Amino acid sequence: MDFEETIQKIIEKTGRARNDIKKLIQEQIEELSGLIDEEGAIVIVAKNLGIDLKSNQEAANMEVDQKIIDLKPRMNANTVGRIVEIEDIRKFNKKDGSQGVLLPFIIEDTSNMIRCLAWGENHAQILQENGFSSGEIVRIVNGFIKEGRTGALEIHIGGKSRIQLQPDNVDYKLIPDGKNSSKISITPLGKISIKMPYVNIQGIVSSIFSPKEFSRKDGSKGKRASIAISENENSVYITFWGDHCEKINDIVEGHTVQITRLTPKPNYKDNSKIDLTATSNTTIIIQNGGNINHSSVKPNAQPGQIITIQELNTKGGFGSIEGKIQDIDDIKTINLRDGSQKNILKFVLADKTDAIRVNVWGEKIPETPLKVGDVLSVESLMAKINSYSNQMEATLTRNGVITQIDKIIETNKTIAPIASKNAFQKLDRKNIEDITEPEFYEFKGSIIKEINRITTYSACSTCNRKYENCKCDNPGDQVNRMIINLLLDDESSTIRATLMGERAEKFIGEKTDRIVELQEGGELESFLKERNKSLVGKEFVFRGKARFSNYSESYEISINSFEELNVEMEASRILSLLE
C-alpha cells in the first residue's frame, strides 16, 4: 500500500476530507522540524486518528529493526538503539560556499554500538526535541551504512533518512540497560579496537605532556596536550585539543584513573597503533569514583607507601622504594631525536629482596653527587621492562624525589653492574663450564670457529626491535642493525655467544651500513675470510647474560661488553687472587 492508498484508507476509516488529512500531515512534519517526510508523518497522523497501520509499515520505510552487529557497508538499514553520547554540532564550508551542519551521536543495542552522522540543518534541529538525549531510545530509518576513516562503520542520516524519537514497536531484547544505569564498561588497553566508536579505560597516569600551542595551516593558533596511561604491559596515549586540555590540569603522574568517552584514532606516524582522543563528554575519574579536583590532588602527592624492590620488579608500574647504591655510572649526555640534549644518571639500587636499575633524567639528577654505598629513599618511580635488555628498569617520574637517608639496609641480591668503563671488574671470573644459571657472567674465551655470516635487519632506532615488530608509541627512524654469532672455548667447555648492534660493529670493525653494502655487493665472504685471520684463536674477556636455549638445549650468552685479553693485567689478576 503506497502513500495515496494510505490516505484513502484514512478517508474510509474517518470520513475526513483529503485536504484535512494532508494538512495534518504537514503540521506533523513542521512540528518535528522537518525530521520526517510525508511517509513517516502519515503513520503518526493515522495513529493519532486511531487507525492501526501495523500491516502498512512499508509506508514508513520501517522494516524489521536490524542489529548493529549485522550492519554492512553500503547498505540501507533501519536500526534501533539507546543514545550513549551526543557530540557537539559541527559546521563546515561546502564546495559551493554554503555552510553545512553535522550532528554526530552514538547509539548502542545489545549487540554493539555505532556512530551516527546526521547531516543538514533539519536533522541538527533534533537537539531541541524532547526525547533526544543520552539514555533515550531512537530508531534510525533508512540510514546508509559507510566505513569511516578508521574503518569503523557509521550510519549516515541524510535527506531520505529520518530519526524517530521514542519509537513504537521496539523489540526491547535489542535495547541495553536503562538510561539511569551508572555502570561504566571498561575496555582493557590491550583490547582497544580502531573500530570502536568510543572507549572507557582505566590505568595509571605514566606521563603528562603539558599543553603547547601550535600554528594551523590557516595561521590560527591551536593547543594540544597529551597523557600516557599504562595498564600492565600495555599503554596508550590520549590527546586533548583546545579547551579540552583543561581536563588534565589537576592530574598527577601515578594516579590510577578512569577516563570515559574517548575516541580511538590511528597513531599519526604508525597506522597499526591506536591513540585516543578526548571529546567534550570525556571525564576523568579517580579510581575511588570521585571527580578529580584541586582538593583531592596535591601537586607532589605520591601513590602508595614504600614497597620492596622485589615487589616493584614483579609488578612494574609505579612505586616508591628504599635501597643502597651498589653501582653508579657517570652522568652522560644523550642526544634526543628532536636535536636537543639531556643528561642521564644511572645507578643500581638494592635492598634485601632484590636490585633494580634506576634512571634519573635532567633536572631530577641530585645536585649532591651520589656514590656507591649511599642509602636512598626514592619516591615515585615508574618501572617497566626495557625492550632492549628485557630487564625491569625504573625511571624517576617528574614528581619523583630522591632523598639520602640514615638507615642500614642489607643487600642479598645483585644484578649486572651498569656497562661503563670499569663496571664489570666487580664480577667474579667464571669458567664456561660454570655458566649454568640465567645470570650475568665474566669469563675468558677464544673464538674457535670462523665467522661465516652476519645477520642484518632493519630496526627501529628507538627500541632496536625489527621495524615490523616495533611497539613504540612514536617509532624512530629505520636503521640497519647486525647480529654476530660466535663459538667460544676456554678449555673447560664451549658456549655459543651473540653480539648485537654497536657491540657487533666494534667486534667486527665495521659499521652495519658497510656490512649491508658488502652483502649486497657479494663481497662479505672475502671480508670475513680476511677478518677471521685476526679473530680466530684470539683470547678475549667477555661479559654478558646467560640464557637457556631450548633449541641447543644448553646455555648461551648475550655479550654486553668485551676486551682483548691483556696478558700483563691477567697475570696481575692471578697474583692478586693467589695473595
Side-chain angles (χ1 to χ4, degrees), residues 278-290:
T279 68
S280 57
N281 294 314
T282 294
T283 59
I284 301 176
I285 305 168
I286 296 177
Q287 192 176 24
N288 62 16

Side-chain angles (χ1 to χ4, degrees), residues 306 320-323 349 375-379 401-405:
I306 298 295
S320 300
I321 59 175
E322 293 178 347
L349 203 66
V375 177
L376 307 178
S377 170
V378 186
E379 299 180 23
V401 178
I402 297 177
T403 307
Q404 293 197 37
I405 58 176

Side-chain angles (χ1 to χ4, degrees), residues 354-379:
D354 211 342
I356 192 170
R357 285 187 180 83
V358 177
N359 304 315
V360 184
W361 288 89
E363 67 279 358
K364 304 304 294 186
I365 297 174
E367 294 183 3
T368 302
L370 302 177
K371 62 183 184 298
V372 172
D374 284 347
V375 177
L376 307 178
S377 170
V378 186
E379 299 180 23

Side-chain angles (χ1 to χ4, degrees), residues 245-473:
C245 293
E246 297 177 4
K247 295 178 186 288
I248 70 169
N249 284 350
D250 301 316
I251 295 178
V252 174
E253 287 179 352
H255 277 111
T256 299
V257 295
Q258 287 181 355
I259 308 182
T260 62
R261 297 297 194 265
L262 296 165
T263 304
K265 303 278 178 144
N267 179 278
Y268 74 103
K269 285 188 176 180
D270 184 352
N271 287 335
S272 67
K273 300 182 186 302
I274 299 174
D275 293 340
L276 300 175
T277 299
T279 68
S280 57
N281 294 314
T282 294
T283 59
I284 301 176
I285 305 168
I286 296 177
Q287 192 176 24
N288 62 16
N291 287 331
I292 289 179
N293 53 55
H294 286 283
S295 63
S296 65
V297 177
K298 297 179 181 179
N300 294 318
Q302 306 299 333
Q305 298 178 341
I306 298 295
I307 61 175
T308 66
I309 293 177
Q310 183 182 58
E311 187 176 355
L312 186 63
N313 268 329
T314 302
K315 296 183 177 180
F318 281 88
S320 300
I321 59 175
E322 293 178 347
K324 182 190 292 185
I325 296 179
Q326 287 186 327
D327 183 50
I328 191 166
D329 199 8
D330 298 329
I331 295 175
K332 294 182 178 179
T333 301
I334 303 297
N335 294 318
L336 302 179
R337 283 181 292 169
D338 62 4
S340 61
Q341 293 183 324
K342 202 166 189 179
N343 292 335
I344 183 171
L345 172 66
K346 299 182 179 184
F347 56 87
V348 175
L349 203 66
D351 63 10
K352 65 180 180 180
T353 66
D354 211 342
I356 192 170
R357 285 187 180 83
V358 177
N359 304 315
V360 184
W361 288 89
E363 67 279 358
K364 304 304 294 186
I365 297 174
E367 294 183 3
T368 302
L370 302 177
K371 62 183 184 298
V372 172
D374 284 347
V375 177
L376 307 178
S377 170
V378 186
E379 299 180 23
S380 193
L381 288 163
M382 175 62 185
K384 62 180 181 179
I385 297 293
N386 182 304
S387 58
Y388 176 68
S389 66
N390 204 33
Q391 300 295 311
M392 187 71 76
E393 292 187 4
T395 299
L396 192 70
T397 68
R398 296 184 183 187
N399 297 309
V401 178
I402 297 177
T403 307
Q404 293 197 37
I405 58 176
D406 184 14
K407 188 174 184 178
I408 296 175
I409 291 184
E410 297 180 358
T411 58
N412 297 325
K413 291 194 174 184
T414 188
I415 58 176
I418 299 164
S420 59
K421 184 176 180 181
N422 299 313
F424 279 101
Q425 291 180 357
K426 300 177 185 178
L427 286 174
D428 293 333
R429 180 77 58 80
K430 297 290 184 181
N431 293 326
I432 290 177
E433 67 179 359
D434 297 325
I435 299 176
T436 57
E437 297 290 337
E439 301 289 347
F440 285 88
Y441 293 92
E442 175 181 293
F443 63 98
K444 181 177 66 174
S446 58
I447 300 170
I448 60 171
K449 183 179 179 181
E450 290 187 345
I451 302 169
N452 54 30
R453 66 189 293 266
I454 296 177
T455 301
T456 60
Y457 62 95
S458 180
C460 167
S461 61
T462 300
C463 67
N464 292 320
R465 294 176 184 266
K466 286 187 177 180
Y467 206 80
E468 58 267 28
N469 297 331
C470 170
K471 296 182 179 179
C472 296
D473 293 304

Side-chain angles (χ1 to χ4, degrees), residues 15 53 99 140 220 273 360 500 579:
L53 290 181
Q99 191 175 65
I140 311 300
S220 62
K273 300 182 186 302
V360 184
M500 302 182 68
E579 290 173 0

